[in-house]
Amino acid sequence: MERFAGKKVLLTGAATGIGRATALRLADEGATVFAVDRNAEGLADLPTKTWVADVSDEQSVKDAVRAAADVMGGIDVLVNVAGIHKTTPLATLTLADFQRLLDVNLLGTFLFCREAMPYLREAKGVVINTASTSATHAHPFMTAYAASKGAVLAFSISLAAEVAADGVRVVAISPGGVVTPLMTSVSFPEGVDASFYGRIMPQVGFGEPEAIAGTIAFAASSDGAYLTGVELRVDGGSHV
Ligand SMILES: NC(=O)c1ccc[n+]([C@@H]2O[C@H](COP(=O)([O-])OP(=O)(O)OC[C@H]3O[C@@H](n4cnc5c(N)ncnc54)[C@H](O)[C@@H]3O)[C@@H](O)[C@H]2O)c1
């Protein structure tokens, strides 16, 4: 498929996991991809344009978006994938940890949307934001992460209505359990009863990053032309 021939894609979180798979998928479908991450080493062997930036730093985001637009000659698609995770019971959840989750997951998404929107308006483009099943379903001991993702979903739905008249679409993707460095690093502090998670395992097994990349490609392509202000839950049926 060549659904992204001639399309200019700015994508965050591209060094590993879902972001990396998405960068490769969109490039494979003909896109010019400007891949952003804070992890320079992870970006190094991507066959796309790359840029090192911290999505939680306002100036860093401004620089990345300007560079993307300059290098590619505009931006048709923005895909916000960069994110972090933390598992902590409420009693030991620090303000600093909560703040960091909001800074990266929510405010990083906001900053890229704000900075890229003039180019997306020009292109009548598409924004894909990465939420999570924890935006709408209980995930104990992940309250701060869940709150950050719930906010990404709420932000995306309202933004979709705000920019619809400009011809810009906004779609939130909510992955379930996907095998990536983020997911495999999840662990629970000693003494925590995490049996809840045993009950919400997807019967079809955990997802591969490529499955999420395929959904992002669909939603960002002309095949998703009538999708906006919507959440696509991609979780193998774990959160029905
Ligand atoms: N893997 C899952 O099960 C799962 C489920 C639901 C949602 N998600 C979401 O999907 C997205 C991708 O996660 P993943 O599982 O591929 O994890 P990952 O850790 O493999 O990828 C996240 C990427 O974001 C980058 N990143 C983190 N903080 C950054 C910052 N401040 N600035 C720039 N880059 C930064 C990391 O370097 C990494 O390359 C995240 O938003 C995550 O919350 C993942």
Side-chain angles (χ1 to χ4, degrees):
M1 282 190 283
E2 282 285 317
R3 292 181 297 187
F4 290 87
K7 297 291 184 193
K8 300 145 192 160
V9 177
L10 169 57
L11 185 152
T12 73
T16 58
I18 293 167
R20 185 182 184 83
T22 305
L24 294 171
R25 172 65 187 260
L26 299 184
D28 197 44
E29 286 204 41
T32 300
V33 178
F34 192 92
V36 175
D37 205 286
R38 65 174 174 189
N39 172 1
E41 210 180 313
L43 291 176
D45 64 343
L46 269 180
T48 67
K49 300 176 191 311
T50 60
W51 186 269
V52 178
D54 179 347
V55 303
S56 67
D57 181 277
E58 188 170 20
Q59 191 57 51
S60 182
V61 174
K62 286 183 175 181
D63 293 344
V65 172
R66 191 169 304 122
D70 285 351
V71 167
M72 296 192 292
I75 302 169
D76 297 301
V77 178
L78 167 67
V79 188
N80 284 302
V81 182
I84 56 172
H85 192 279
K86 183 97 183 173
T87 309
T88 318
L90 181 69
T92 51
L93 178 57
T94 66
L95 183 58
D97 280 348
F98 205 138
Q99 187 69 57
R100 185 68 190 149
L101 282 157
L102 293 177
D103 285 348
V104 176
N105 296 354
L106 173 61
L107 301 183
T109 298
F110 146 63
L111 288 171
F112 267 92
C113 287
R114 188 189 68 192
E115 294 305 312
M117 197 52 71
Y119 305 102
L120 294 164
R121 281 200 168 98
E122 181 80 26
K124 298 199 186 310
V126 185
V127 178
I128 307 292
N129 289 332
T130 309
S132 162
T133 45
S134 50
T136 52
H137 290 72
H139 284 176
F141 315 112
M142 300 183 189
T143 51
Y145 176 78
S148 75
K149 292 301 188 173
V152 167
L153 176 57
F155 173 82
S156 303
I157 291 169
S158 286
L159 181 62
E162 187 170 323
V163 298
D166 299 316
V168 179
R169 297 191 293 113
V170 183
V171 174
I173 304 284
S174 288
V178 181
V179 184
T180 67
L182 179 145
M183 212 266 289
T184 51
S185 71
V186 169
S187 64
F188 295 90
E190 210 168 317
V192 159
D193 177 8
S195 57
F196 172 88
Y197 288 98
R199 297 195 292 275
I200 60 165
M201 300 288 252
Q203 291 184 35
V204 296
F206 288 115
E208 294 297 328
E210 289 73 18
I212 310 302
T215 306
I216 291 174
F218 155 67
S221 76
S222 57
D223 286 337
Y226 203 47
L227 278 179
T228 195
V230 71
E231 178 198 27
L232 298 182
R233 185 163 50 77
V234 193
D235 69 345
S238 58
H239 294 74
V240 289

